[in-house]
Amino acid sequence: MMEPSEAGRDPEAVSKFVEAFAAQLVEAGMQRMAARVFAALLASDSGTMSSAELGEQLQVSPAAISGAVRYLAQVHMVSREREPGSRRERYRVHSDQWYEALTNRDAILRRWSLTLREGVDSLGPATPGGQRIAETLAFFEYLEGELGKLMERWREHRDKTFGQGIGQRDAR
């Protein structure tokens, strides 16, 4: 079921975009079905669709949608919402989904850094393996330090470009 504001769109053009962007996400390491679901949500005017709507648009089963949404919710790229008065769920992508996904990656970087630090200690910093792990650790620590500054600059740029509180628009 297409949303009223999307009625004027060319469904074939939308489908081509969704599949092209999903293919690029897959090349970057995302699961194929999750990439397709994410791209479809991103391209929808409301940023929200039900499992049935996603299944219809992507021509896949509800089980495929369920697995993809579970993954996307785990990595904070979509959220689940109950339809008022119903047990049905809708899935929403927010304008700040990239921020949420990167913030989640920041926690992963911290965990990896702790493990890598143990690896350097275990192997010894003077060994070739210990040196490789130490360099990897330094890289992740650098990323962790820069990520917060980068995201702050992004929020300032986003607010200048699109107006204050863009992420709040999606909270409807």
Side-chain angles (χ1 to χ4, degrees), residues 105-121 133-145:
R105 295 293 184 247
D106 189 43
I108 291 169
L109 287 175
R110 277 193 298 277
R111 286 197 315 265
W112 287 355
S113 292
L114 290 171
T115 302
L116 288 167
R117 191 169 287 110
E118 290 172 9
V120 171
D121 292 343
I133 292 172
E135 184 176 343
T136 303
L137 170 61
F139 175 71
F140 287 142
E141 288 175 336
Y142 177 80
L143 280 181
E144 188 180 340

Side-chain angles (χ1 to χ4, degrees), residues 46-118:
S46 68
T48 181
M49 297 173 83
S50 69
S51 181
E53 291 165 338
L54 284 163
E56 182 180 327
Q57 180 175 336
L58 300 175
Q59 296 296 296
V60 297
S61 71
I65 299 297
S66 177
V69 168
R70 186 172 30 258
Y71 168 78
L72 291 167
Q74 266 182 329
V75 296
H76 307 283
M77 293 182 76
V78 300
S79 60
R80 297 171 189 253
E81 301 172 350
R82 287 264 184 233
E83 288 186 4
S86 170
R87 292 183 351 149
R88 283 183 30 173
E89 288 185 329
R90 295 192 66 75
Y91 309 113
R92 178 179 296 278
V93 65
H94 299 276
S95 64
D96 61 352
Q97 78 276 351
W98 299 111
Y99 171 79
E100 289 298 324
L102 278 174
T103 300
N104 186 49
R105 295 293 184 247
D106 189 43
I108 291 169
L109 287 175
R110 277 193 298 277
R111 286 197 315 265
W112 287 355
S113 292
L114 290 171
T115 302
L116 288 167
R117 191 169 287 110
E118 290 172 9

Side-chain angles (χ1 to χ4, degrees), residues 23-32 71:
Q24 291 175 6
L25 292 170
V26 169
E27 284 179 22
M30 186 181 281
Q31 300 169 359
R32 179 170 156 60
Y71 168 78

Side-chain angles (χ1 to χ4, degrees), residues 12-34:
E12 189 174 326
V14 171
S15 181
K16 282 182 181 179
F17 163 76
V18 166
E19 295 304 326
F21 188 53
Q24 291 175 6
L25 292 170
V26 169
E27 284 179 22
M30 186 181 281
Q31 300 169 359
R32 179 170 156 60
M33 187 53 60

